[in-house]
Amino acid sequence: MRQQAWHVLPWLDVAKVLEVHPGKGLSVKEVQRRLQEIGRNVLAAKKGIHPVFLFLGQFKDFMVLVLLAATVVSGLLGEIADAVTILTILIVNAILGFIQEFRAERSMESLRSLTAPEARVLREGLEQRIPAADLVPGDIVLLEAGDRIPADIRWIQAVNVQVEESALTGESHPVGKTIAPLLDELTPMADRRNMGYMGTSVVNGRGAGVVVATGMDTEMGVIAGMIQSVEEEETPLQKRLAELGKWLVLISVLVCVAVVVTGILRGEDFYKMFFTGVSLAVAAIPEGLPAIVTVALAVGVQRMVKRQAIIRKLPAVETLGCATVICSDKTGTLTQNEMTVRQIYSDGRKVTVSGQGYDPKGDFHGADPEKEKDPLHAGLVIAALCNNATLTKKGVKVAGLFRSKGNDAPWGIEGDPTEGAILVAAAKAGIWREVLERKQERIGELPFDSDRKRMSVVYQTKQGRRAYVKGAPDKIVQLCRQELTSEGVVELSSLRRQNIMRANDEMARHALRVLAVAEKPLAESEPLGEQIEQELTFVGLLGMIDPPRSSAVKAIKVCRRAGIKPVMITGDHRLTAEAVGHELGILRGNGGVISGEELERMSDRDLSERVRDVSVYARVTPKDKLRIVRAFKSRGQVVAMTGDGVNDAPAVKEADIGVAMGMTGTDVTKEASSMVLGDDNFATIVAAVEEGRGIYDNIRKFIRYLLSCNLGEVLTMFLATLVGLPLPLLPIQILWVNLVTDGLPAMALGVDGAEPEIMSRPPRVPGESIFARGLASKIGIRGTMIGLGTLFVFVAALFMGVNMLGARTMAFSTLVFSQLFHVFDCRSEERGIFEVGLFTNPYLVGAVLISTIMQLSVVYLPPLQAIFKTAALHSWQWILILCVAGGPSVLIGFVRLFKSSWQGKTSIAKG
């Protein structure tokens, strides 16, 4: 039944196909048979993972397995505190990973919660209320305003029915429904006015429909299936950390084996060398790295919450930072989601409507249509009367002056946003429907219909009956034979028709949605029907727009400066989408727009080639959005996708970073996303990009710090063993260095501030290594300097007659303070310590002070001296230690400061 084109069949034929009597419904016996054959009306959940296994799965990561081994080793070495620290880090990270994955599994639950729990049906001639899950194809469902449609239906009765379908089809206003069949089987879902879909809501009128699809066969079920079919993949950060972990383990194992083998060959004790090698392995693997990554991301999350961005998955912060494309829905994110009339055309002239009102040539005061002959005024009267919306203040309906005295409450609209915008435009001219209706009464209505594309009302006036009509300009103009002008009613000549349609096209090119208004006097005996809409008198055009957010325009400029491609994906028609794209700055020059119809004819390969040049996609479906995201990803782009409705959820989940709207977004989209915008503002995404870039920089900072320090430790031991020196460090001292320097200072780097020009550089290449842009050489050079410096102090101490205990203490302290000085170098890859400022990160200063106190305690407190095999040092020893440890940082800092100053002077001289 799913493949049947129900919208092209007359509703009686639909009933015949489904073998149901429209006036009686199905029998109980037939319902039971269909339930057994087709199944219940529920969205099938993808078989989830048991929470216990989900939690245990957090320990399958390669890096985590190595760290678990390191924990066991630390325990065997008697370093219980170190073992407990490592284990605690692993458990905390496992809990965080479990929470993230568990919440992602709830996406399907959220989608199911959108469906109606109960339904009102007609069975065996009786009206009854049943669980929506028990519906079957062929059931007759009764609906009225406020009901949520429980399954996909074909309307068989519709009395002024309007349905809010924005969450499913992208329509920004309620859609009027009809029972008439459509002609085209390929009619887009958004234009199937005789169909109703599961999860959408009836906002006006009453009607009945026959169920044509249930459960996973519904349109919502298809979307649910697409969400399930999207495979999760690792973020760039996760991939790089996995790569880093494997390399570190490989290198550390090779080096440690070399140290152990070399020592044994030189006659060292096997047991002693084994534990030395194990200690080096523990030191070589930065067990603090996962915790520091988590801290850096968590700090970014806290900053983003203050900027209205709520992060659901920690890695999303980093992923957004390397985004190269941002695909965004138009309504509410790039625009204000508030329809506003901007232009009115009548009698060959165009009037602009501002926030304050009009500047027309005619007189717009008063509201008596029998005295006012100006066509512009007459058009606003028609628009106000052919309208079912209401203006409110504090929820109270208001009729009177637009600026009512004594009531400063904000204005609101009850009903359709488009009709509300028209009412506001009329009210600015002093025209109020409630005032007009004191002299005339509505006696009939023909609701808006997608086939007719118009709405008509009939009023009884003192002069007789009068029909007022509004609708699509091309349809209305075809029905008109005359035009109202300032000179009176004249024949609607071909030239006048051309002028009207030219004005319509010009408005559309300026992103205006255009409605035409017309009227016709009726005979008292003329029946209410579509014949009243023939031979109308054209009165005017009203052009309205959902204005762009000013913040979005600025954010798009920042995106371009940052090397990010902004893309608008919308359900609007091509002409409107193109105009909005130009106004926002997303579209520059000609071209760059593709419609849903063009996408249908395009292969995935062709689309992949075109995405580079296209910035606006119009009149698209959920499947189109998914294809667009996949096309970008196939070209190696890191894609961010914003969305609010259920129709956006598959694409949001497929994107590298899914961004949901917090104010207007559906639960399913939020659950499928990685980040939620609290203010539904495109500019907030740009703030997230900035935070993401800064956080990735911070991750590089502490990777540079940790690895260069660990390399220095390994080289110290390896070179000493290689040249036949005594071991400069004991295993317990190696573990202490690892604990003191890898902890707080590295974490403090994770909260460092962003570089000043971070949003003026292009995004990172998605596939680049974490060691790209010279990071590997920086780590190698500084690690070598730390190792050689430590060995130099150790050898110099022995040469000057210092005993082995004192020499090892000096080497031990040199290694610690070399790393504490180096942490200030790691704050910037381009600037030195004096340019960045020593005290601009108070957390880092505090961390270094704590580490310094810890190291001095080990050197000078007798109980700790016994444990760590250290001795108190003299002042001359400290001078040597600090010169060797801090000399490189100070020297490099002065060189970079001089270089920066010289470049600045050269730039000024050239200027």
Side-chain angles (χ1 to χ4, degrees), residues 258-290:
V259 169
V260 172
V261 171
T262 303
I264 293 174
L265 291 176
R266 288 180 49 245
E268 294 284 353
D269 179 68
F270 174 82
Y271 182 80
K272 177 182 178 182
M273 290 309 302
F274 172 76
F275 276 98
T276 299
V278 170
S279 299
L280 271 180
V282 172
I285 300 173
E287 67 272 14
L289 184 59

Side-chain angles (χ1 to χ4, degrees), residues 70 76 118 135 153 216 282-283 305 309 315 324 356 415 423 495 570 718 791 853 896:
L76 292 175
E118 288 188 330
L135 283 173
I153 65 171
M216 294 300 287
V282 172
V305 168
T324 56
Q356 302 301 317
L423 274 189
L495 179 61
T570 177
F718 177 71
L791 274 181
I853 294 171
R896 287 188 169 178

Side-chain angles (χ1 to χ4, degrees), residues 7 32 72 137 146 153 247 280 320 343 519 529 544 605 645 763 785:
H7 56 282
Q32 293 301 321
V72 174
I153 65 171
W247 277 105
L280 271 180
L320 189 59
Q343 290 184 354
E519 63 180 349
M544 60 204 77
R605 183 176 180 179
M785 293 175 67

Side-chain angles (χ1 to χ4, degrees), residues 21 316 319 391 429 512 573 598 663 711 760 816 838:
H21 190 291
T319 312
L391 293 179
L512 300 183
H573 289 280
E598 293 173 282
M663 298 172 68
L711 177 60
S760 295
V816 169
L838 291 173

Side-chain angles (χ1 to χ4, degrees), residues 503-529:
N504 171 66
D505 292 343
E506 187 178 344
M507 286 185 180
R509 279 193 293 270
H510 287 83
L512 300 183
R513 182 185 176 210
V514 187
L515 290 178
V517 290
E519 63 180 349
K520 176 186 178 181
L522 301 176
E524 293 292 330
S525 59
E526 190 168 352
L528 179 61

